[in-house]
Each structure stands twice: as C-alpha cells, then as structure tokens.
C-alpha cells in the first residue's frame, strides 16, 4: 500500500524511467510519453474477445446478420460441458456493433425447444420490432423465424435478450451486447472494451440448475447464479499499461444480481450509461449496475508495472438478505505489463447537452411496485400483476411524470421500453436512462416524453424473476389522428 501511494505521487515520467531502467542523470528533461502515442499491450483484450457476426450486406451502413437461438455445449466449469441456451452457439451471443444512423437486419431463427422473442434493450426501435410477446408480436415458436429490423438512432451501450419466460431463458445464457458508436466521441476516452457481466447457476457437472430453483424464495429474492462470468468466462485476464486509458462499456445481463464493481487503488471516470454520455463526467469509486443497466466509464490503470490486481464484485444492499454473510468475488484479473507508464489524457468535464424535459403540462401517475405473498409470490404494479393489468392510455406527444414507489423489502430496477426517461433528482448528473434502481423503501420520479412511435410498450422490474412473478405492465401510446390500433390481450408466458 505504502509503495503504491509513493508511486502515484511521483511524476509519471520518473516512474517511467525507473521502470525502463535508465540512469537518473537521463531524466532531467525527457519528453513525457503521452497515452495517445502508445497502444494497448499486445493481446490486451484477447481473453475477453466476443464473437462478431458475419455481415451479409455490402452496404457499409447496413449490418445484416443471421442469429439462431439454439442449445449448445459451452465449457464454463473446466472439464465439463454446459448445455447453454445461446445465440449462434456462443456465450454470450455475437456482439452487434454499428454506428449512429446504421441499420441492422437480423434474420432470426428459433431452434430452441420453446417459443422466444428478442428484445433490443434500450434501443428506440419501431414498435413492431420491440420483441414484446403478446403486445408487439406473437412469440416465435420452436422452429419459427422472424426478421427484425433496427435503426441505430442513439449512441450508447445496449444489449439483446429474450422476452418470453425471460428469467429462465436469460438465466440459461441468452444475451448479447449491442454497441452503437458515435464516431465523434473524443479519443481521450481510450480504447473501447465491452464487459458483459452475467451469472449462471450450475452444479459441479456443469449442468444448469432448474429455472425455478429456490421455489417461492427464488421468485422473491431473484435468482443469482453462483458462477460469475465476464464475456462468458470465469475470471478472464485483461492486460493494461499504467496510464493508458480504456473505455469500459459494462452491461449487467444477469437475471437478478446487482453489481458493485471495485478495483483496489483505482477510481473510475463515469461517462454515462444506458443512453450513452451523461451531461458531465463523474469521478467515482463504485461502479454500480442493476440488472439491465449499463455503465460507460474510463479506466486509467494506476498499478505498478509488472503487478496484478483484481476487479471485484462487492455485495450491494438491494433488500432483505442481499448483503448478509456474503463476501466479495473476483471477476476480472488485471495484469499491468512491464512497459513504462504513460501520461494519461485529460477527460473532458462537460460531455453532452441534456435539456431537462419540460414537465409543466405533464400528466402525473403513481406506480406502486407491489408484492403479495399468499400460496405463491405475486408481484405487480399498483397491486395488479401484468396478466390482469389494464394499459396506461397515453396520447402521442404527451409528457408524463411517474412517481415510482417501492414500499417492498426489495429494491427493484425499473425498466421502460421504447423511450428514454430522465430521473427528476437534482443530485444526479443529468442523463437519459431506460433502467433505474428504485431502492427498497424509497421512491423516485421520472419524466418521459411519448413523442413518437405510437403502439404498446412494456415496463417492468428488471429482476426477471420479479417481472415473471407479475411486476410488469404496459402502456398504449395512441396517435389521435390515426385509426385506433387494436390492443392485443396480454398473455401469461409461464
Ligand atoms: Cu431488458 Cu423488457 O427488458
Ligand atoms: Cu423487482
């Protein structure tokens, strides 16, 4: 600890020189090496590589891919095979990556033994592409196909996952990253690294635990798998060079687990999250992500050359029993190469102009997140599970303010489909979000503008066990000038 502190206080160039083994006499006026003049260590992200899909379309602004959901054996516990549910046979599924303005065409085939759909979490897609079963499309049966077409309108870090029997299907491995780049982003943010976090419940033979493991308590608490994965691997290694920045795009693709990421001797510069950049960068110690949420942050390696460190999962309070008797867990090994340190780049303080939503004429609503425990656990919004819920009727172009109240013993990550919202809280750096934590015994207020894309959209708790237990609802945005769309009756997907 003492040595590390001393090292951090030294000018980086002296440390650089010592690490390179040069004589003190040579250090009088050496030109500092700037991070922009060096590259990441060779093979820095090899262990974290995710498959990329083959692009079938020659147009550089169109990504056209095939995606097949199927069961495939993957090695997670060394020496065993796990029959995971996958996209294209890999865990996670392929990383879909484009730039703002691109179009993505997905030829999807369902080769699972059950029906499924794909939801493009966070993307402002056309309503009929949202993957909400019973609302925007019928579930795609086993053996069925569906063509999704998405416009990448907003830079940011997103992901895709099924929306039928979602806790079970996501828990078995169905998820992938979807990144929308903004070519105008400052280079100072560093080299891009996507970290898709997930967990799995496995036995020693590598077999998946049943999707209903833990019974009612599993529904109530939310099912956390004991095996922690980063980009589909247990404790992979990332190579870094002191001072050479990396832009981490972190995605929480678990069913129920909250992440608090900590790295000894380091802080992070948070850039934003769900919908790309926030208004300002923020120097933080804990990177916290609820299920479904994303974080975008600059990591500046500060460990001595030739040393090891570990990014850890630290228990986070999310209600009853969530931190009791639990210790931290290693997630990602960080190896600082022996190359001389470099001088990091300055991260801009102001990142993006975010105009507050005008709420002066907004419709107010209260959404009370509720749990009823009888013979089984039934969750809901305003006391009603999704299979009995009536939609909120919303006129196209209107703005709403929702007070989201949580008097239950658990925290709930609230997620809205189709629209970004702003949390009305002066203590937060302004940003656009699609998923926000509503801590146990608390409430918060969000503002949403239903300005386009009429249709039926869902909202729910992103602890997927809670969603499936009823904590979901939907709304219908109607265009008064258009013929009224027929509302499909919600279905239960158990
Ligand atoms: Cu990522 Cu409806 O969810
Ligand atoms: Cu919940």
């Amino acid at each position: 600890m003492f040595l590390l502190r001393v090292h951090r206080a030294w000018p980086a160039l002296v440390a650089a020189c010592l690490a390179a083994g040069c004589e003190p006499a040579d250090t009088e006026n050496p030109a500092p090496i700037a991070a922009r003049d060096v590259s990441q260590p060779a093979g820095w992200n090899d262990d974290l590589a995710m498959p990329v899909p083959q692009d079938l379309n020659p147009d550089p602004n169109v990504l056209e891919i095939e995606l097949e959901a199927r069961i495939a054996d993957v090695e997670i516990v060394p020496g065993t095979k796990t029959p995971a549910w996958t996209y294209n046979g890999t865990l996670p599924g392929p990383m879909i990556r484009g730039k703002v303005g691109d179009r993505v065409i997905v030829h999807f085939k369902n080769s699972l033994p059950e029906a499924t759909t794909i939801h493009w979490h966070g993307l402002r897609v056309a309503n009929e592409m949202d993957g909400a079963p019973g609302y925007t499309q019928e579930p795609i049966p086993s053996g069925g196909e569906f063509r999704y077409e998405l416009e990448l309108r907003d830079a940011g870090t997103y992901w895709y996952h099924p929306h039928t029997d979602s806790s079970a299907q996501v828990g078995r491995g169905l998820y992938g990253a979807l990144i929308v780049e903004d070519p105008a982003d400052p280079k100072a943010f560093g080299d891009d690294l996507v970290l898709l976090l997930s967990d799995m419940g496995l036995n020693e033979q590598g077999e998946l635990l049943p999707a209903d493991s833990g019974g009612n308590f599993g529904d109530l608490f939310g099912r956390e798998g004991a095996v922690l994965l980063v980009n589909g691997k247990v404790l992979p290694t990332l190579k870094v060079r002191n001072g050479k920045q990396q832009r981490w795009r972190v995605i929480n693709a678990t069913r129920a687990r909250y992440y608090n990421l900590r790295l000894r001797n380091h802080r992070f510069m948070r850039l934003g999250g769900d919908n790309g950049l926030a208004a300002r960068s923020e120097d933080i110690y804990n990177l916290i992500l609820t299920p479904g949420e994303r974080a975008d942050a600059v990591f500046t390696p500060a460990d001595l050359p030739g040393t090891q460190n570990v990014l850890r999962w630290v228990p986070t309070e999310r209600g009853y029993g969530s931190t009791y008797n639990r210790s931290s867990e290693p997630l990602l090994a960080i190896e600082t190469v022996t190359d001389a340190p470099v001088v990091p780049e300055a991260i801009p303080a102001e990142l993006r102009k975010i105009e507050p939503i005008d709420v002066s004429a907004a419709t107010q609503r209260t959404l009370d997140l509720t749990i009823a425990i009888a013979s089984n656990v039934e969750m809901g919004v305003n006391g009603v599970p999704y299979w009995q819920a009536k939609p909120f009727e919303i006129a196209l172009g209107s703005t709403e303010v929702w007070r989201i109240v949580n008097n239950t013993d658990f925290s709930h990550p609230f997620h809205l489909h189709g629209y970004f919202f702003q949390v009305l809280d002066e203590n937060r750096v302004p940003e656009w979000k699609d998923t926000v934590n509503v801590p146990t015994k608390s409430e918060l207020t969000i503002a949403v503008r239903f300005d386009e894309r009429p249709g039926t959209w869902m909202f729910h708790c992103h602890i997927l066990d809670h969603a499936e237990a009823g904590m979901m609802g939907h709304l219908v945005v109607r265009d008064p000038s258009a013929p009224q769309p027929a509302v499909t009756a919600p279905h239960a997907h158990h």
Side-chain angles (χ1 to χ4, degrees):
M1 234 19 242
F2 175 72
L3 274 176
L4 289 175
R5 288 229 184 84
V6 169
H7 164 67
R8 290 176 82 199
W10 281 344
L13 56 103
V14 174
C17 201
L18 288 179
C22 58
E23 298 293 339
D26 294 336
T27 68
E28 275 186 73
N29 285 308
I33 308 168
R36 82 180 72 89
D37 297 329
V38 301
S39 44
Q40 297 288 346
W44 65 291
N45 57 356
D46 284 1
D47 214 16
L48 292 159
M50 287 192 277
V52 289
Q54 197 199 340
D55 185 359
L56 306 169
N57 196 307
D59 184 334
N61 302 317
V62 180
L63 176 62
E64 185 166 354
I65 64 171
E66 281 171 351
L67 212 53
E68 183 189 18
R70 60 183 164 93
I71 296 177
D73 282 341
V74 294
E75 185 172 333
I76 298 167
V77 178
T80 69
K81 295 262 177 264
T82 298
W85 288 33
T86 72
Y87 293 114
N88 289 2
T90 62
L91 186 81
M95 174 160 65
I96 299 175
R97 191 165 194 131
K99 55 186 188 314
V100 180
D102 285 356
R103 218 152 37 91
V104 179
I105 299 166
V106 178
H107 302 280
F108 177 65
K109 181 166 181 6
N110 178 14
S111 301
L112 298 169
E114 286 174 11
T116 193
T117 61
I118 306 181
H119 172 59
W120 313 93
H121 183 120
L123 288 188
R124 288 194 293 160
V125 297
N127 187 249
E128 63 277 17
M129 294 294 141
D130 198 45
Y135 300 106
T136 66
Q137 70 173 105
E138 283 310 306
I140 305 157
S142 178
E145 298 185 8
F146 195 86
R147 180 183 187 277
Y148 287 102
E149 186 164 336
L150 323 165
E151 221 188 300
L152 306 183
R153 298 173 56 179
D154 304 283
T157 302
Y158 306 97
W159 64 298
Y160 59 95
H161 63 80
H163 224 289
T164 56
D165 201 7
S166 60
S167 178
Q169 294 195 359
V170 169
R172 295 178 185 130
L174 288 169
Y175 35 75
L178 197 160
I179 308 299
V180 185
E181 293 172 359
D182 182 349
D185 277 352
K187 290 283 167 284
F189 293 165
D191 297 289
D192 212 285
L193 179 70
V194 180
L195 298 173
L196 189 148
L197 310 177
S198 63
D199 65 5
M200 274 189 149
L202 302 174
N203 65 18
E204 282 95 80
Q205 288 74 50
E207 292 156 349
L208 292 158
L209 298 179
D212 62 353
S213 64
N216 279 350
F217 187 74
D219 289 337
L220 192 60
F221 187 75
R223 293 176 174 84
E224 295 187 11
V227 180
L228 301 187
L229 303 174
V230 180
N231 296 2
K233 287 196 175 161
V234 176
L235 196 56
T237 298
L238 171 68
K239 289 190 200 159
V240 307
R241 177 172 180 169
N242 180 307
K244 178 70 183 168
Q245 282 139 326
Q246 300 181 355
R247 177 190 191 166
W248 286 4
R249 295 172 178 272
V250 191
I251 303 166
N252 182 350
T254 63
R255 286 171 285 181
R257 182 184 289 269
Y258 280 46
Y259 282 78
N260 179 359
L261 299 175
R262 279 200 210 155
L263 181 61
R264 178 173 44 81
N265 190 36
H266 288 77
R267 298 178 65 86
F268 297 95
M269 193 63 97
R270 188 177 184 278
L271 300 175
D274 295 350
N275 172 231
L277 302 180
R280 298 185 295 277
S281 55
E282 197 181 1
D283 182 41
I284 55 167
Y285 179 52
N286 301 305
L287 262 182
I288 295 176
L289 296 104
T290 70
E293 219 178 7
R294 288 85 69 209
D296 192 334
V298 176
F299 162 51
T300 306
D303 286 328
L304 283 172
T307 61
Q308 308 277 341
N309 204 340
V310 181
L311 180 74
R312 304 189 76 88
W313 172 91
V314 175
T316 313
E317 180 56 44
R318 67 168 181 89
Y320 182 78
S322 52
T323 57
Y324 178 72
N325 207 11
R326 299 181 84 181
S327 44
S328 72
E329 306 232 19
L331 277 184
L332 176 66
I334 301 201
E335 185 183 309
T336 306
V337 298
T338 54
D339 294 325
V342 295
V343 182
E345 304 227 29
I347 307 301
E350 304 293 323
L351 300 176
R352 177 179 178 185
K353 188 119 199 73
I354 294 189
E355 293 290 346
I357 294 180
D358 175 3
V359 295
S360 53
T363 305
Q364 315 274 334
R365 262 180 230 275
T366 299
L367 281 75
D368 192 6
L369 308 176
T370 48
I371 301 181
I373 300 172
S375 58
N376 55 13
V377 175
E378 190 177 282
M379 304 204 180
V381 177
N382 296 334
V384 185
Y386 72 88
W387 52 87
Q388 288 169 2
K390 297 217 169 41
F392 296 163
E393 293 285 340
I394 296 174
L396 182 66
S398 56
T399 297
E400 299 220 343
V401 167
W402 291 1
R403 198 174 132 238
I404 306 172
V405 179
N406 178 7
N407 285 318
T408 72
D409 290 328
F410 296 90
S411 300
H412 302 288
F414 181 84
H415 171 50
L416 173 65
H417 286 208
Y419 304 86
F420 294 109
F421 54 76
Q422 292 178 357
V423 180
L424 303 181
D425 176 353
E426 289 160 8
N427 297 316
R428 297 182 189 229
V429 174
E431 66 179 315
W432 292 101
K433 290 190 66 60
D434 58 60
T435 308
V436 67
N437 188 35
V438 189
T440 170
K441 311 288 181 196
S442 77
E443 60 178 69
L444 54 77
T445 307
I446 64 171
V448 201
R449 218 158 32 203
F450 296 96
D451 50 354
E452 49 164 25
R453 292 167 300 127
T456 303
W457 302 95
M458 304 184 74
F459 51 83
H460 56 91
C461 174
H462 222 289
I463 290 179
L464 296 174
D465 297 293
H466 291 181
E468 295 295 337
M471 202 177 279
M472 287 203 273
H474 62 292
L475 54 93
V476 184
V477 176
R478 291 189 200 278
D479 180 354
S481 68
Q484 297 304 297
V487 183
T488 340
H491 310 202
H493 297 285
H494 289 280

